[in-house]
Amino acid sequence: KLINSLSNKNSFINSEDGQKFYTQVFDTLVSQYPDEEQLFSLYSEYSTSLNNIDKSISLYEQLLLSHDISPESWHDFLLKLSSKGDNDKLFDYTSKAIVNNPDDPLILLLYGECFIQKNNYMDAIKPLRQSYSVLLQNSNPQTNNLKVAVMNDLASAYFYVDSTKEAYYFFDEIQIVNGWE
């Protein structure tokens, strides 16, 4: 019941006292239930809504100390790290996430982007190609934005390693997916 109540964002009080109260409730719950991933996820979401990305990130790091997390939680955590621009942490954690999620296209994309951030385009190509391959097997239109992001990174990586034929192939694919032909 409590998780359902905490899941209802409309029940969160926006006053400073309300924020303190909910923070104390979450702090108590995650200390009493350190293996309850859903509580950490809700607390992370709440912290993010208060523009406290650092707290959100530290919650996932705390959770990871005790066990692995679901792909959805990995996504949330890694995207928060990415938005914060902490490429070193992002690289470390995507490396860990891939161990249990080797075919997750978003994790592979973020891993490839870590290499791009380091101007290591050759090493970026392998995880990006793997992400692209997984996405090709999925005809769900909801993955189009992810496909475009992967293809854009592949085109850039190939361009920087002087493989212009491959680069133009992916630039053309982006146009097709977006219907810009």
Side-chain angles (χ1 to χ4, degrees), residues 17 22 60 81 83 95 100 108 116 134 140 142 153 169 171:
D17 288 338
Y22 277 106
Y60 280 117
L81 284 173
S83 71
S95 299
N100 292 327
L108 290 163
I116 288 174
V134 171
N140 185 346
Q142 293 176 337
D153 285 349
Y169 169 81
F171 283 133

Side-chain angles (χ1 to χ4, degrees), residues 15-99:
S15 70
E16 190 174 319
D17 288 338
Q19 291 173 7
K20 285 180 185 177
F21 170 75
Y22 277 106
T23 298
Q24 288 173 341
V25 168
F26 275 122
D27 283 337
T28 301
L29 288 171
V30 296
S31 69
Q32 289 181 357
Y33 303 100
D35 294 329
E36 197 60 48
E37 182 178 330
Q38 189 176 9
L39 283 174
F40 282 84
S41 180
L42 288 170
Y43 193 5
S44 172
E45 188 176 321
Y46 179 67
S47 296
T48 300
S49 75
L50 299 176
N51 295 318
N52 192 347
I53 300 294
D54 290 332
K55 177 67 175 181
S56 182
I57 289 169
S58 73
L59 286 163
Y60 280 117
E61 289 176 322
Q62 181 183 345
L63 184 62
L64 282 167
L65 289 174
S66 61
H67 64 286
D68 196 27
I69 58 178
S70 69
E72 294 78 18
S73 290
W74 272 117
H75 294 171
D76 186 43
F77 174 51
L78 296 174
L79 288 170
K80 283 178 175 48
L81 284 173
S82 179
S83 71
K84 190 160 175 11
D86 193 338
N87 198 52
D88 291 333
K89 266 190 181 180
L90 182 61
F91 183 77
D92 290 341
Y93 282 112
T94 53
S95 299
K96 292 175 184 175
I98 285 176
V99 171

Side-chain angles (χ1 to χ4, degrees), residues 95-163:
S95 299
K96 292 175 184 175
I98 285 176
V99 171
N100 292 327
N101 305 283
D103 293 322
D104 187 297
L106 179 61
I107 294 171
L108 290 163
L109 167 65
L110 292 170
Y111 188 56
E113 287 181 347
C114 288
F115 288 111
I116 288 174
Q117 290 296 321
K118 295 178 180 191
N119 297 324
N120 188 344
Y121 301 104
M122 190 60 77
D123 286 339
I125 292 172
K126 182 179 178 185
L128 293 171
R129 290 288 307 202
Q130 188 175 350
S131 179
Y132 180 69
S133 176
V134 171
L135 288 167
L136 280 181
Q137 297 171 16
N138 182 350
S139 61
N140 185 346
Q142 293 176 337
T143 63
N144 282 351
N145 289 340
L146 186 56
K147 286 178 189 173
V148 168
V150 171
M151 290 184 290
N152 184 60
D153 285 349
L154 276 166
S156 297
Y158 277 121
F159 180 79
Y160 282 107
V161 297
D162 293 326
S163 294

